[in-house]
Amino acid sequence: MTFPVRIGVQIQPQHADYSAIRDAARRVEDLGVDVLFNWDHFFPLSGDPDGLHFECWSMLAAWAEQTERVEIGALVTCNSYRNPELLADMARTIDHISARGDAPGRLILGIGAGWFERDYAEYGYEFGTAGSRITDLAEALPRIRSRWAALNPAPTRDIPILIGGSGPRRTLRLVAEHADVWHSFGDADALRERSAILAGHAEAVGRPVGEIERSIDVRRRPSEVGQELLDAGATLFTVESSGPDYDLDLAAEWVAWRDASTRG
């Protein structure tokens, strides 16, 4: 399967009033970005740890109504924070809210095992261990799909599942079994190394690895890393932007690079 080159922007919901976040979401769509992400945390991850911050899924519902074209999702939802059946219903509902006319919904269900201990401690979730959180994610993913099949109305499309993380033994196995998109971090060499491991897992579960889109976090200019990441297999490139100002200059460079790559 051949995937188009796409650009994502993660609007980090920290250190900004919601009016600034709303404006950033508008600017992202106007820029021509393909996917608009937030994140699923309860406190800032950088800067003042007690700074302004807003909740993920309430925001996604607002974005589903506000935007017209861009796909939306969390990068990524923490599996620990919501019952899988509830999460499936939330995703299905936002899928419907984001649909326009004859076009289907635009939600991507980004999900991961969770890692930020403060979220767990202050909101009363059991932190467990890295292993137990991966086990919980493995149990949740089939439950989410089963709930989608049972809901009335059903989702408007097969909601894509994005799994974030590069753990070679268990996380990439879950990607091979369940994901439409795999999101990772690092350089081209790391992407190639982990992609080879993913290919092994896909072969083991009897799935063509080419069905899985590669997504990667990018913090440098496309003139510096774009082609080598593309050659390594990435097709979805996501830029981070934090409050209060939500600078989109780097995202604009990646959109221009995407358009030039498509023309080429």
Side-chain angles (χ1 to χ4, degrees):
M1 183 180 298
T2 301
F3 295 101
V5 175
R6 301 196 295 162
I7 306 302
V9 171
Q10 184 191 56
I11 294 297
Q12 299 171 345
Q14 60 179 6
H15 307 309
D17 292 325
Y18 190 73
S19 60
I21 295 173
R22 182 189 298 114
D23 178 68
R26 176 193 60 77
R27 290 189 289 125
V28 164
E29 184 161 55
D30 289 349
L31 190 61
V33 166
D34 299 287
V35 188
L36 171 61
F37 293 110
N38 60 7
W39 68 26
D40 190 18
H41 295 287
F42 305 128
F43 303 96
L45 297 186
S46 62
D48 179 359
D50 295 313
L52 300 176
H53 199 276
F54 290 95
E55 192 274 327
C56 168
W57 279 86
S58 304
M59 187 178 300
L60 289 176
W63 286 355
E65 196 64 71
Q66 174 188 347
T67 59
E68 297 292 327
R69 174 196 55 79
V70 70
E71 289 190 281
I72 57 175
L75 193 64
V76 290
T77 296
C78 177
N79 175 66
S80 307
Y81 302 158
R82 298 162 195 89
N83 169 280
E85 283 75 19
L86 172 62
L87 180 60
D89 204 347
M90 292 165 61
R92 181 280 309 249
T93 299
I94 292 177
D95 167 70
H96 277 266
I97 295 170
S98 65
R100 297 290 184 273
D102 294 333
R106 295 172 284 119
L107 181 80
I108 296 171
L109 179 59
I111 194 166
W115 62 273
F116 189 41
E117 189 169 5
R118 185 185 180 191
D119 284 346
Y120 287 78
E122 296 210 25
Y123 277 65
Y125 297 106
E126 181 181 351
F127 188 56
T129 66
S132 69
R133 294 192 298 276
I134 286 285
T135 296
D136 289 344
L137 177 60
E139 293 174 353
L141 288 164
R143 290 170 59 183
I144 289 168
R145 288 199 184 275
S146 293
R147 181 55 48 180
W148 281 338
L151 288 169
N152 184 15
T156 67
R157 65 172 181 168
D158 290 333
I159 296 175
I161 291 178
L162 177 154
I163 295 178
S166 298
R169 187 172 65 87
R170 300 189 66 189
T171 300
L172 291 181
R173 177 75 175 208
L174 291 181
V175 171
E177 292 175 339
H178 299 286
D180 301 286
V181 186
W182 165 48
H183 183 77
S184 65
F185 298 83
D187 59 16
D189 288 340
L191 179 60
R192 289 189 189 94
E193 177 187 346
R194 289 296 194 257
S195 291
I197 296 170
L198 175 60
H201 286 303
E203 182 178 5
V205 301
R207 182 181 181 195
V209 72
E211 293 180 353
I212 304 168
E213 184 178 14
R214 270 66 157 193
S215 167
I216 195 161
D217 177 86
V218 289
R219 305 184 186 190
R220 295 169 61 186
R221 302 176 69 177
S223 59
E224 298 172 340
V225 298
Q227 189 61 50
E228 64 179 350
L229 290 172
L230 186 64
D231 291 344
T235 55
L236 174 55
F237 304 86
T238 297
V239 178
E240 302 173 357
S241 185
S242 179
D245 299 323
Y246 293 114
D247 183 347
L248 299 179
D249 287 351
L250 183 59
E253 288 192 39
W254 278 94
V255 168
W257 174 82
R258 176 204 64 194
D259 294 344
S261 299
T262 301
R263 288 196 301 271

